[in-house]
Amino acid sequence: MTNKEYYMNLALQMAEAVMGQTSPNPVVGCVIVKNGDVVGMGVHMKAGDDHAEVNALNEAGDLANEADLYVTLEPCSHFGKTPPCADLIIAKNIRNVFIASMDPNPLVSGRGIDKLREAGIYVETGILEKEATRVNKYFFHYIKTKKPFVTLKTAVTLDGKTAAQSGDSKWITSEAARMDVHQYRHKHDAILVGINTVIRDNPHLTTRLPQGGKNPIRIILDTHLDIPLESNLLNDQEAKTIVVCGNKAVREKQERLESKKVTVKRMDHVSINIEHLLVWLGEQQITSLFVEGGSKIHGSFLESGHYQEVILYMAAKLLGDPSGLSSFSGNVKTKMSDSHQLQFTSVEMIGADIKVIATPKKN
Ligand SMILES: Nc1c(/N=C/[C@@H](O)[C@H](O)[C@H](O)COP(=O)(O)O)[nH]c(=O)[nH]c1=O
């Protein structure tokens, strides 16, 4: 690892540590180095707060003069909730700026760098760019598409079942694997399940990590508003909860839910169109969506083609039951050559279980 990568890695580690806190902003880390000493470190904590560069420059004080600045995302050049970071970097007389990833917003991309170079500052980009892009993959997707980054998560037995034909699914995976899921609940802005999962499991869908973590907004796809009024999701007050229904759902049911401080989003058609839902969620500034199923929901996202990552946890258990519930049911392909093509991006053991991550192949 080169010197530059060492300091950029430090900035990236800070950015990674606050994933889940900054939405709808990106995560950004910044490190300031002078004569081989780290003299300032900063991270963007949450939307509306000071940017990473501001926090690092405040910490460096006069030592920022003639120092090197490492930042994981191109410094902003526009007046947002805070003044442009590029102007502050120039004012503090920083000598060199090293950047990992460029701003994906075409309106500002490169503008911050141009400002710095016009002021005579040396600027180098692309240091650990791959890692920086990974850390902000939800934000980058949202900026480009104005729709949330969609992660489909499922848990299956060795023979691919997500529940027995009786509906029983407790538990497929071990405590360690189920706890691993909670990091994604913290990192995503929202979590989504279908009405069948709500009726079968009566879930809370909260983040229960040892170190805490943010509860995501909870979204239930419930075309006809069948959700039982005594459901945990409607009564535990643990997080903002949105029930999405079709336009034929009974109004009285909608009013009963709204009296419980639950948002009811009535779509324009009888059934729920996934793409329309994602556009609406994007308008609510939801930049990432964690879909925990069940299998019909996963099938509808598969059918829509609007999903960016699949996370599958597999337990070494066999149900041997052909009528057990598959993890995806929808958009059935009858020929292997027509199957949805993905690629594995990681395989690892989590306790006794396997965790696999796959992404759709770019066609
Ligand atoms: N059955 C299993 C899962 N089941 C996932 C969903 O069906 C559950 O309803 C949801 O996780 C419950 O959320 P909670 O109430 O917040 O705990 N998910 C897993 O990773 N392994 C499983 O063995």
Side-chain angles (χ1 to χ4, degrees), residues 153 155 169 171-173 178 181 185 197 200-201 203-206 208 292:
K153 170 262 166 181
S169 65
W171 288 99
I172 302 166
T173 53
R178 297 203 309 274
V181 171
R185 292 183 175 184
T197 293
R200 195 189 66 194
D201 300 341
H204 288 277
L205 303 181
T206 49
R208 303 185 298 274
E292 279 217 31

Side-chain angles (χ1 to χ4, degrees), residues 272-324:
I272 298 167
N273 177 296
I274 295 297
E275 181 169 9
H276 295 172
L277 173 67
L278 293 174
V279 167
W280 181 73
L281 292 177
E283 288 162 358
Q284 316 311 309
Q285 294 201 314
I286 290 177
T287 65
S288 54
L289 179 66
F290 190 57
V291 181
E292 279 217 31
S295 66
K296 274 215 201 79
I297 296 296
H298 283 136
S300 51
F301 273 88
L302 191 60
E303 188 146 16
S304 79
H306 289 286
Y307 65 98
Q308 281 65 48
E309 198 160 86
V310 177
I311 302 180
L312 179 139
Y313 294 85
M314 177 178 277
K317 296 172 181 170
L318 289 165
L319 281 172
D321 170 1
S323 59

